[in-house]
Amino acid sequence: MTNFFLILMIFLIVVANVIGFISYRKKENLYSWAFAIFISAVLFGAIGGVLALLVIRDAFAIFYGFQIGQYLLINSVIVLFIAILMTVIRKYNRTT
């Protein structure tokens, strides 16, 4: 059972990053990548919580969905930090 949820968590994180990358390729904007991952954190957190409720059949299984959402929020903050860093580096290179 634990392996199923671990694989599901990794799968949802990879899918969120792929969705973010597709968003980046369409708009050529790193901030859209971070925003897409942020929005998918809510969606995939809810999906993970519902799946955990269906599999485990316990009221506390909803916290599994919160855990997935938490990892995706941390992931979106990291991508946002990278986007800010890249913006600062580009502006610094243009001035010198």
Side-chain angles (χ1 to χ4, degrees):
M1 181 80 62
T2 306
N3 291 335
F4 170 73
F5 288 119
L6 186 61
I7 291 170
L8 181 67
M9 183 184 305
I10 292 169
F11 175 74
L12 290 177
I13 290 172
V14 168
V15 168
N17 283 312
V18 168
I19 290 171
F21 182 71
I22 291 171
S23 173
Y24 167 71
R25 293 296 256 174
K26 281 186 176 181
K27 298 181 182 177
E28 292 293 325
N29 187 358
L30 286 173
Y31 295 107
S32 66
W33 186 0
F35 185 69
I37 294 173
F38 179 73
I39 294 299
S40 64
V42 176
L43 176 68
F44 290 153
I47 290 172
V50 169
L51 282 174
L53 280 172
L54 293 174
V55 171
I56 297 175
R57 296 180 189 235
D58 185 19
F60 291 105
I62 194 74
F63 292 113
Y64 173 75
F66 292 156
Q67 186 178 11
I68 292 175
Q70 176 188 2
Y71 289 138
L72 285 172
L73 284 175
I74 292 169
N75 191 9
S76 69
V77 168
I78 291 170
V79 172
L80 180 64
F81 179 71
I82 291 171
I84 292 170
L85 186 66
M86 291 303 296
T87 303
V88 168
I89 289 172
R90 283 182 187 167
K91 289 197 185 242
Y92 177 74
N93 284 337
R94 286 184 187 164
T95 59
T96 58

